[in-house]
Amino acid sequence: MANLTTSITESVTLNGSVRGSTNTLTTTGIIDVFERILTCTHSQTTTVAVFNSTPYGADGALDVENCKYFRITNLSDDQDMKVAFVTANTNYQVTVRAGGSHILYQAEEALIGEEDASPAFPTLEDLVTVEARPSATTDIQVEIFAALV
């Protein structure tokens, strides 16, 4: 078993003063990782990760209960991408700018989409797939990293 240490650092100098912070989180008990770089074709939606209650439950699936870290990074220098995090019943979508990442710290009971602007904070749903689509008319490369206990 291993520990996964993730750090997020912000740093900006504004009017001669340095602002920002570093936040570090350690996830213990990691026994499995998934790492992949793939090309996402413009004007197409690419499924970049699949989750299931067992790795054999779907082709190429990651174990949803054991996934404790999931990162998708847009490796493009100048193109944004749209990313959809899909459950059995809903999804939410975000834009990830060139060079940016989106991180989830679990895949089980990780998310829900709601249709109004008033969060109900219901029971969250398991992640089923992660899908990416370039925002422009250029193919992009995407990096996936997942750590599982």
Side-chain angles (χ1 to χ4, degrees), residues 74-93:
N74 180 355
L75 297 178
S76 174
D77 292 330
D78 58 359
Q79 301 296 317
D80 293 346
M81 72 174 175
K82 307 293 187 200
V83 181
F85 296 86
V86 183
T87 72
N89 300 304
T90 189
N91 77 88
Y92 81 87
Q93 298 171 43

Side-chain angles (χ1 to χ4, degrees), residues 10 31 42 65 72 81 88 100 102 110 123-124 134 148:
E10 296 94 14
I31 60 170
H42 73 84
E65 292 92 356
I72 182 168
M81 72 174 175
H102 192 79
T123 300
L124 301 182
L148 300 90

Side-chain angles (χ1 to χ4, degrees), residues 10 12 15 17-18 20 30 34-35 45-46 49 51 53 59 63 71 77 83-84 88 93 96-97 108 127 129 134 136:
E10 296 94 14
V12 62
N15 297 326
S17 296
V18 177
I30 300 299
F34 175 79
E35 190 172 14
T45 300
T46 302
F51 295 83
S53 60
D59 291 344
D63 188 322
R71 174 183 52 81
D77 292 330
V83 181
Q93 298 171 43
V96 178
R97 73 181 207 186
E108 183 180 40
L127 187 58
T129 62

Side-chain angles (χ1 to χ4, degrees), residues 1-56:
M1 289 193 283
N3 292 339
L4 171 68
T5 302
T6 54
S7 296
I8 298 175
T9 300
E10 296 94 14
S11 178
V12 62
T13 301
L14 186 61
N15 297 326
S17 296
V18 177
R19 307 280 186 210
S21 65
T22 297
N23 292 291
T24 302
L25 178 67
T26 300
T27 305
T28 61
I30 300 299
I31 60 170
D32 195 2
V33 295
F34 175 79
E35 190 172 14
R36 180 180 186 196
I37 295 175
L38 69 152
T39 300
C40 292
T41 305
H42 73 84
S43 306
Q44 301 296 318
T45 300
T46 302
T47 299
V48 298
V50 176
F51 295 83
N52 199 285
S53 60
T54 60
Y56 56 82

Side-chain angles (χ1 to χ4, degrees), residues 91-135:
N91 77 88
Y92 81 87
Q93 298 171 43
V94 295
T95 296
V96 178
R97 73 181 207 186
S101 297
H102 192 79
I103 298 171
L104 296 177
Y105 287 95
Q106 65 190 49
E108 183 180 40
E109 296 181 4
L111 61 128
I112 197 161
E114 293 185 280
E115 293 185 4
D116 58 34
S118 206
F121 297 102
T123 300
L124 301 182
E125 298 180 6
D126 294 350
L127 187 58
V128 175
T129 62
V130 178
E131 302 173 10
R133 178 184 280 237
S135 295

